[in-house]
Amino acid sequence: MMSDAQLEIFHGRIERGLQLSVLRTLRNKAMLGRDVVYARPDGRPFTMPAREALRIYEAASNEHR
């Protein structure tokens, strides 16, 4: 069984890994000139250029620092 401190560290590592995965995916797609697919709050999909998505993602992650 993990202690609360260990669990917090574990969750932090998972969160950071997911953030790095999203960043790498957006960078690769932007480099290739591809689009990414997102969903609106009502569930309807929409696409946008990966370069724009990367710009938005990086701006949002800079705000949270």
Side-chain angles (χ1 to χ4, degrees), residues 8-18:
E8 188 173 328
I9 291 169
F10 181 69
H11 286 152
R13 287 180 179 169
I14 291 173
E15 184 177 346
R16 183 64 182 143
L18 289 171

Side-chain angles (χ1 to χ4, degrees), residues 4-44:
D4 287 344
Q6 290 172 321
L7 198 55
E8 188 173 328
I9 291 169
F10 181 69
H11 286 152
R13 287 180 179 169
I14 291 173
E15 184 177 346
R16 183 64 182 143
L18 289 171
Q19 290 169 349
L20 287 173
S21 177
V22 169
L23 186 59
R24 287 180 186 142
T25 299
L26 289 175
R27 284 181 177 166
N28 286 337
K29 286 185 173 270
M31 186 174 54
L32 296 171
R34 301 268 173 92
D35 290 341
V36 292
V37 179
Y38 287 105
R40 291 183 174 89
D42 65 2
R44 290 183 304 135

